[in-house]
Amino acid sequence: MRCPVSSRAFLSGCAALALSCSSASSGPSGGSAAGTATAGASGTAGASGSGTTGGTGGTGGASGSGGTGGTGGASGSGGTGTGAPGSGASGATGTGAGATGTSGATGAGTGTSGAAASGSAASGGTTGTGTGASGSAGSGGGSAGTGASGTSNDGGVGGTPATGLDGGAACPSLTGPADNAYPRWPMPNPAAANLPNPFSYIDTGNGTVVDNVTGLVWQKTVDKTTQVFTWADAPAYCSGLTLPAPAGFTWHVPTRIQLLSLVDYTTGAAVDGPFLGSGQPPGGMYTWTSTPWVVSQITTKPQDAWMVNFGGGGGLTSNAASQTATEFVRCVASPPVTPLPYPHYVQIAAGEVQDVETKLVWAQKSNLTAMAPSDATAYCAGLGLNGHTWRLPSVNELSSLVDDNPNINKVSPAIDQCVFADAPSNMYYMSSSMQGTKPWALNYEDGFDDDSETTGAARCVR
């Protein structure tokens, strides 16, 4: 189940642990509210008639009402609809009919579009719309205004929720337990890899480094004497830092996926740019994350946590570091964690889904034949699914799929078990990342990686 800590210089090998199965739970969905719109009044004789403003629509956007024709006069103008700010719930259709003009000329009027503010939702907010009905006047009424669509924030994401490999019902939300597990930004890659989102940093000169890809702010250096703590003591050190950070950011021990966003798997030092220097990064110890091994919530199991091996370890990642050990800590500043959006993966075509946060598009079906890296690369290049060009992902990108806090009753495979239903409980997937001639691979048994595997499965990305 976890990659054993067998060497301070390098980690290798993985031990298996099987647990019983149970289904995942689903998160809450957005509510709905109805909206109404009032009718435009009749125009007066000889003058232009004007429609009144459309009433407030349901959450998301409201509709405007139609204008009326004047008696014997010019045409009535359409009313203007205005939308109230949405809150993630569905806006209902507003209705409003213009009154009929008498003995007048043909009424001609066009209502302006009702504006809807952006809706917000923690999870599952839907887009609200409002549509005004046509008003009638004399002979041919003016047309009503139309409310614009309300939009949702990070909590309410458009698109069709992903389903399993065989279609069917939408996969459930992982919001809650998995909020800290997944990246909320594009996953960086080493510049030398010639892949999307190459590493990009700003050394601020005040002891911090800004990651331009993720937006995270990092402590630049690790002091090998003063930044050594047990897992339980590391959070107090980070929260007490007085280094500058943007408003709303707080210093803390990075999560597994946050620390992995720094890893350059092509070098022994496992970091790039401003993190390199005299004695940086230090070797001889691992670097803590704040993410515990999920099985450690069972008190009779080993109390371990995730760590990364920098400074000569090549970035090898394991969840088998004893929480009582003393290891390095490099702190990060970030905004508060928000709920994982739903849908997290959207179905964009048969057999392919997009991660709404990283923007990567994944083939849902794996090739579970044990392949050498060159064969896995060729397989993805020749996939041709839905006419697209596919490639073998980097190990950083494979890591972005790991659910490091799955349901304790079925912790393997540590991935969305509905969206990627064919993922084995214990098998390495090959990546395009190489350190010299050694390929990196990742095992979704827990999400650990290794550079000693010569064959593995393939899951393609674009």
Side-chain angles (χ1 to χ4, degrees), residues 70-122:
T71 302
S75 61
S77 61
T80 301
T82 58
S87 59
S90 301
T93 302
T95 59
T100 303
T102 58
S103 303
T106 299
T110 302
T112 61
S113 294
S118 178
S120 62

Side-chain angles (χ1 to χ4, degrees), residues 305-400:
W306 286 89
M307 62 82 209
V308 177
N309 198 4
F310 294 99
L316 191 139
T317 306
S318 170
N319 57 354
S322 172
Q323 294 179 15
T324 59
T326 55
E327 311 289 0
F328 295 132
V329 62
R330 185 192 298 272
C331 307
V332 68
S334 68
V337 175
T338 57
L340 189 70
Y342 183 76
H344 179 199
Y345 301 105
V346 295
Q347 196 81 44
I348 61 173
E352 54 180 308
V353 296
Q354 184 173 35
D355 184 327
V356 301
E357 298 284 23
T358 67
K359 309 306 180 188
L360 293 172
V361 178
W362 294 92
Q364 288 181 271
K365 187 176 181 180
S366 306
N367 184 333
L368 298 179
T369 303
M371 293 176 282
S374 58
D375 294 330
T377 299
Y379 166 74
C380 287
L383 182 60
L385 177 63
N386 296 323
H388 297 299
T389 300
W390 298 86
R391 60 178 175 83
L392 193 66
S394 69
V395 70
N396 308 61
E397 292 167 336
L398 286 175
S399 295
S400 74

Side-chain angles (χ1 to χ4, degrees), residues 169-181:
C171 290
S173 171
L174 299 181
T175 299
D179 288 348
N180 279 298

